[in-house]
Amino acid sequence: MKRRTFLAATAAVGLSSQSTWAQATKATKPLRILILGGTRFIGLHMAEYALSRGHSLTFFNRGRTKTDRLPQIERILGDRNGQLEGLATGSWDAVIDNSGYVPRHVTLTGELLKARANRYLFISSISAYASLATPNDERSPVGKLADPSTETVDGATYGPLKAACETAAERSFGAARTIVLRPGLIVGPEDNTDRFTYWPARAARGGDMLAPGQPTDPIQVIDARDLAAFAVLALEQQLAGTFNIVSASGQFNMGQLIQASITAASKLAKPAQPAKPIWRSAEFLEKQNVAPWSDMPVWVPPVGDGAGFAATSTDRARRAGLTIRSLEVTARDTLAWHLQRPLKEQQELKAGLSAERETTVLNAKT
Ligand SMILES: NC(=O)c1ccc[n+]([C@@H]2O[C@H](COP(=O)([O-])OP(=O)(O)OC[C@H]3O[C@@H](n4cnc5c(N)ncnc54)[C@H](OP(=O)(O)O)[C@@H]3O)[C@@H](O)[C@H]2O)c1
């Protein structure tokens, strides 16, 4: 692939209206950062924050996703699946790998760049842990692949593949130059999964709103902008090692998420009838075939295999400077972003219950 550069006339062109970084102070030392996959969701937030700190950026991707965003950033076109010619030259202070899902891809970029970049930051996931039945910290065992050669990314392999990618990054760059971030559910404006978005979007419709489990059921999320700020901080401070990146255990619960969504909706969408949560137990929802996480996004009942899911330790990241914004701010900004999406995207969310299904469940005998 040929290297293609797109330089914009002004540094401000393409910054999203959701940018909250206008007031960011400049870093003491500007860094040259290569982002592998920068044009979707978390990459956009990382890029905007890094720019606001005075860093210079290069994106490496195939040129398919959101090609109109951040046009002032240099682009190198290629494919992680072996088309890396565009990365044959150039040097960077740091690489942020947002788009690594199989270890072969991470090894390809790790080996190619280890002599021309100082640090490799790999975005992994808390799904890397072997079990979510008990709370995890960074020393907990990670999952292992039944077939180490598989490159099929699905519900069973996603986590162990991420763990194998972490190892691949460390093998190339060495532990002292590798940062592994393990985010929990990433939320906020630009989220293409619609999981957190479902709640403020649902509250915006108003009326009786199905709410899962108990208001006290714990949740953990990370606003993509807080993840972005920590990633850039980790590079600026030349951190190394593994960090869980999510809100603190016990910080947020489902009742607070629902309330933050209703508050955001009352300000931004002003439904004729404000949304009113109707709480239904995990047992009732199971009987109605309402699935945690996909039908009732963000929520995982805190029992059995999921007992530790929303209790991940973040002590290490918090000591290193991770900050978490409030659910009110995330819900408000997510709804503001959602309400300006194309109508089709607003109406066809990828997660949560349809209005019809929700009504059926609400009308079912308890
Ligand atoms: N969403 C969550 O809740 C969550 C939670 C924990 C961890 N994570 C991790 O967060 C990361 C980021 O996710 P995301 O949704 O923001 O982005 P993503 O979907 O992983 O990556 C999209 C970016 O990568 C580029 N890309 C995709 N395939 C490519 C390829 N074969 N070669 C080169 N570039 C490629 C895309 O541009 P082109 O299409 O133009 O190539 C785009 O810029 C992932 O590593 C995911 O595992 C997500």
Side-chain angles (χ1 to χ4, degrees), residues 36-43 60-65 78-81 98-101 123-125 158 162 183-186 192-193 195:
L36 307 176
T39 56
R40 191 153 87 177
F41 191 26
I42 72 170
F60 175 83
N61 53 47
R62 297 164 303 178
R64 293 186 194 171
T65 304
D79 191 319
R80 302 204 58 167
N81 194 24
N98 279 341
S99 54
Y101 292 89
I123 296 293
S124 183
S125 166
Y158 170 71
K162 284 301 233 186
L185 180 66
I186 308 173
N192 51 298
T193 73
R195 290 179 288 208

